[in-house]
Amino acid sequence: MKAFFDHSEKLNHNTTTFWFKSEGALEFIAGQFLSLNLKVDGKILSHDFTISSSPNSQLFSITLKMVQPLSKFKKFILNLKKGSSVNIGPVLGDFVIPIDEKRKLLYIAGGIGITPILSITKFLTEENLKRDIVIFHAISSEKDLIDSASLKKFKYVPVVSKPRANYLGLSGHLNLALVSKLEPKIDKNALFYVSGPETFVMDLIDQINQVYPDNQSVMDYFPGYINI
């Protein structure tokens, strides 16, 4: 299916959201991803991206961390003009909210891993759906904070690893020990959702699986991202 670039918006100093209009109806569940296929220098480059917009939106968006030096793929996206076409692949992924409304949901995101959670919280807010959700977000500095109204509708806990000396928020290394300290009432029915760079996700999933059964965690890792 084709999609047409509409506009972009900066979320912070190095994170940008790119909005597209799909040629046909794009149906997805909040938290899922699709592939974006571009022809760059005569070659077809394909990358998977979590959809960061709500399924209710007329446009759909992907959100990227734009850190220099940019890859050819990101340079191409950054220079898209309104109306430029790209090809998108099928929607996939199981990083979605469970049917059981009573389950406690603990989202642990590393950096750009916040994107599926943006989609989920936007959708829940628009539909006025209540869920017991806590969102932990590991970021390097205060500049990496994302000011999202939908995140703030739930318990949103940013954890800064390299804060300024006068930073008053929570700082340190985000791991299961910190999550358990801040949320001591995690029962056998709770679900952990971990997203972000591959090393971050696999480390957290390993910690979780040492304490909880495998079926209590869902992961979505982002290949190509090394640092939070």
Side-chain angles (χ1 to χ4, degrees):
M1 184 190 296
K2 285 189 179 296
F4 303 92
F5 176 68
D6 191 86
H7 69 282
S8 65
E9 57 180 322
K10 292 197 70 171
L11 298 188
N12 61 33
H13 71 114
N14 66 10
T15 306
T16 302
T17 293
F18 299 86
W19 291 89
F20 298 85
K21 173 69 174 178
S22 59
E23 186 176 43
L26 181 67
E27 296 182 358
F28 66 95
I29 301 171
Q32 291 189 304
F33 66 91
L34 51 69
S35 60
L36 195 66
N37 308 302
L38 307 177
K39 190 173 184 179
V40 181
D41 296 335
K43 296 181 179 180
I44 301 297
L45 300 181
S46 178
H47 287 282
D48 293 334
F49 295 103
T50 300
I51 303 170
S52 56
S53 53
S54 163
N56 293 333
S57 177
Q58 292 185 342
L59 304 177
F60 75 89
S61 70
I62 60 173
T63 299
L64 308 181
K65 194 170 183 179
M66 309 295 280
V67 178
Q68 298 294 338
L70 296 178
S71 65
K72 286 184 178 181
F73 195 95
K74 288 185 178 180
K75 284 181 181 178
F76 192 94
I77 293 177
L78 193 60
N79 290 308
L80 286 174
K81 306 298 182 185
K82 186 177 176 67
S84 297
S85 66
V86 299
N87 290 316
I88 56 175
V91 173
L92 300 167
D94 58 1
F95 200 86
V96 299
I97 56 176
I99 295 174
D100 186 353
E101 298 178 1
K102 296 179 180 180
R103 300 193 77 168
K104 185 179 187 67
L105 308 179
L106 297 131
Y107 289 94
I108 307 174
I112 197 64
I114 198 68
T115 53
I117 303 164
L118 286 172
S119 177
I120 290 165
T121 55
K122 287 174 185 176
F123 175 73
L124 291 175
T125 300
E126 292 166 355
E127 296 293 318
N128 197 30
L129 298 174
K130 307 299 181 183
R131 289 296 181 98
D132 184 3
I133 290 177
V134 184
I135 303 161
F136 296 92
H137 189 195
I139 52 178
S140 293
S141 72
E142 302 94 305
K143 294 189 300 180
D144 298 321
L145 285 167
I146 292 177
D147 187 15
S148 167
S150 67
L151 288 178
K152 294 175 182 177
K153 289 286 185 179
F154 302 90
K155 185 176 180 180
Y156 175 58
V157 185
V159 180
V160 180
S161 62
K162 301 173 184 176
R164 298 191 313 265
N166 59 346
Y167 181 63
L168 299 178
L170 193 61
S171 62
H173 179 61
L174 180 54
N175 53 27
L176 181 60
L178 180 58
V179 170
S180 300
K181 179 180 178 181
L182 297 172
E183 285 294 318
K185 295 182 180 180
I186 302 175
D187 61 31
K188 63 181 181 181
N189 198 42
L191 265 180
F192 293 88
Y193 286 80
V194 187
S195 58
E198 184 173 0
T199 53
F200 173 87
V201 171
M202 300 313 294
D203 182 48
L204 260 298
I205 289 293
D206 182 60
Q207 293 175 40
I208 293 167
N209 288 346
Q210 289 182 39
V211 181
Y212 301 93
D214 292 356
N215 61 6
Q216 276 191 251
S217 61
V218 184
M219 65 178 175
D220 184 16
Y221 64 82
F222 294 37
Y225 287 95
I226 299 173
N227 298 316
I228 297 299

